[in-house]
Amino acid sequence: GGDDVGSQNSLVVDNEDNLHCVYFDCSNNSLKYAFKTSNDWTIEAVNQVEEGGESPEIVLDSNGNPHICYINRASSLLYYVYKDSSNWVREVVDSVHPGSHCSIDLTSLDVPIIAYNKPGEERLYIGTRTSGSWVSETVDVDSCPVMGIKLQVPGSDELHVCYFSENNEIVYIKKQYESWLPVYNSDVDCFSNRLVFELVNNQLSYIVTTDNYKLNVHLGTGSGWQEVQYENANIQCHSVIGHCIDSQQAIHFVYPHRLSYVSYLKLHESSWQYEHFYDDDIYSSSLGYYLNGSDVESVVYSTGNPGSWYLLQNNLGCWEENLIVGELHGSGLFATVDSQSRIHCSYRTGFDLIY
């Protein structure tokens, strides 16, 4: 407590419902890793003070071991870090002016791959670890990737990358049979700090953007792409959007309405369902949403600052509200659920990262 930590973080849950979190310690310009089993947190320093930790992202391999990418902007280095037994191993991926965004995923054989940008270059960089060394491939694109880079590597080991370009576009490309192919691109008027990109399966993917209070879902199916827009969403451009897809392939969204209440949208077969729950002052960066394995919906959100944190759950079509804690400062909420439908939340309050 007391340090400026948690403004940039990434959280995953392993197969045994243990939590793994990596976050930037701004006060010490370093990276921290937190691991939770049962009721105990263990926090470790991934690197030394002044060795950076911006834009961190974490994934787990088939044995549950963490793999991390991050950037040290002061020294212009892109790092890959993994934990082998009890030791942290750090490697330089790129030492020539990496940009401000990176994303990591693993192949089916646990080979790490990192997508990243470089300022002012009309190229996307893909780093792959081969025989203990990093080799970076350049992908020529029409305009410079500037924000929200997101990499996904499904079981087929195809590479899928989505990002915002400097030409105000969302761009989605994939690598198939050693060739990079354009999949989709569309003009946007507003960038979000967190790009929503989900590759559900080889027949369904979706990208979410916001534009002048509208919510746009770019939906890819086996028959092609379509943009489905909800014009009356009244969503702020940089709001955090909670999203999940259920067993019927309906996409659910929750977000802070610009008039400060929690709104809910459901998209199924190009039809929208809309409702709002709460007419109080909520924080746009303090909202989380998830579905459990039985498609039960839950929303966690905060009101005011200081304010109260609430849990909403949809019980047979009726939303039930429960107070989690009152009179609490906090922002940057992340919420998830484990295999036993237990709720896990992390958020930032003052200079502290709280679970």
Side-chain angles (χ1 to χ4, degrees):
D3 292 331
D4 186 0
V5 300
S7 59
Q8 301 177 45
N9 59 79
S10 178
L11 175 71
V12 290
V13 182
D14 65 26
N15 293 332
E16 297 180 355
D17 293 333
N18 300 313
L19 302 181
H20 304 253
C21 179
V22 62
Y23 59 91
F24 180 41
D25 180 349
C26 185
S27 294
N28 295 301
N29 189 25
S30 62
L31 192 67
K32 297 289 178 63
Y33 165 79
F35 172 66
K36 185 176 188 293
T37 57
S38 184
N39 294 319
D40 298 321
W41 279 101
T42 301
I43 299 176
E44 302 176 10
V46 177
N47 57 12
Q48 302 298 314
V49 172
E50 301 300 334
E51 289 187 342
E54 294 98 329
S55 191
E57 187 167 290
I58 184 173
V59 293
L60 302 178
D61 63 25
S62 56
N63 295 315
N65 297 315
H67 299 252
I68 301 164
C69 68
Y70 74 94
I71 294 169
N72 184 347
R73 294 179 186 170
S75 60
S76 296
L77 295 172
L78 171 64
Y79 284 106
Y80 161 71
V81 185
Y82 67 96
K83 194 169 188 180
D84 185 4
S85 182
S86 60
N87 299 315
W88 287 102
V89 180
R90 186 176 65 164
E91 300 172 356
V92 174
V93 179
D94 197 315
S95 60
V96 184
H97 303 295
S100 56
H101 293 267
C102 58
S103 181
I104 186 172
D105 206 352
L106 305 174
T107 70
S108 59
L109 298 177
D110 290 335
V111 175
I113 300 176
I114 298 174
Y116 61 100
N117 67 333
K118 292 191 177 186
E121 293 193 19
E122 293 183 351
R123 296 182 182 91
L124 181 71
Y125 286 80
I126 306 294
T128 303
R129 190 173 185 266
T130 304
S131 300
S133 299
W134 282 91
V135 177
S136 289
E137 172 188 6
T138 58
V139 184
D140 291 327
V141 292
D142 292 334
S143 60
C144 181
V146 294
M147 187 176 293
I149 296 172
K150 183 61 181 175
L151 168 71
Q152 291 196 16
V153 183
S156 62
D157 285 348
E158 292 180 347
L159 307 187
H160 296 251
V161 184
C162 192
Y163 60 88
F164 289 116
S165 80
E166 65 178 359
N167 287 348
N168 294 336
E169 293 178 316
I170 51 170
V171 179
Y172 171 21
I173 59 177
K174 71 176 181 180
K175 188 176 185 180
Q176 188 177 38
Y177 303 119
E178 300 304 317
S179 297
W180 283 95
L181 305 174
V183 179
Y184 180 72
N185 71 289
S186 179
D187 294 336
V188 294
D189 289 336
C190 177
F191 292 156
S192 174
N193 289 329
R194 298 184 180 183
L195 178 68
V196 175
F197 170 52
E198 288 295 331
L199 185 66
V200 181
N201 52 49
N202 59 3
Q203 294 293 315
L204 179 62
S205 55
Y206 63 90
I207 305 165
V208 184
T209 61
T210 57
D211 173 15
N212 294 325
Y213 305 129
K214 303 169 187 175
L215 185 72
N216 302 316
V217 179
H218 308 261
L219 192 63
T221 64
S223 58
W225 284 81
Q226 63 173 325
E227 182 177 353
V228 186
Q229 185 180 87
Y230 192 79
E231 294 189 358
N232 298 317
N234 280 299
I235 184 172
Q236 299 283 12
C237 183
H238 294 287
S239 292
V240 172
I241 303 172
H243 62 99
C244 283
I245 189 164
D246 65 23
S247 59
Q248 303 301 312
Q249 296 192 342
I251 308 174
H252 304 251
F253 305 94
V254 291
Y255 61 90
H257 190 283
R258 70 185 181 95
L259 298 181
S260 297
Y261 52 75
V262 181
S263 289
Y264 165 84
L265 277 170
K266 177 181 177 181
L267 175 63
H268 188 221
E269 297 180 347
S270 300
S271 297
W272 290 100
Q273 173 188 338
Y274 172 83
E275 59 184 293
H276 77 266
F277 325 112
Y278 198 86
D279 296 315
D280 204 349
D281 181 25
I282 70 167
Y283 261 39
S284 63
S285 62
S286 303
L287 182 148
Y289 174 72
Y290 57 86
L291 295 168
N292 69 9
S294 302
D295 289 345
V296 175
E297 300 170 288
S298 299
V299 181
V300 183
Y301 65 95
S302 67
T303 63
N305 196 19
S308 300
W309 291 78
Y310 289 91
L311 169 68
L312 284 164
Q313 287 188 306
N314 193 345
N315 185 15
L316 300 177
C318 296
W319 287 97
E320 298 178 353
E321 180 183 75
N322 294 285
L323 177 67
I324 299 175
V325 64
E327 293 299 314
L328 181 71
H329 293 268
S331 62
L333 174 72
F334 181 91
T336 190
V337 64
D338 63 27
S339 60
Q340 300 180 45
S341 297
R342 294 175 299 190
I343 304 160
H344 303 267
C345 302
S346 65
Y347 61 92
R348 190 171 184 240
T349 175
F351 292 144
D352 296 330
L353 183 65
I354 307 296
Y355 164 76

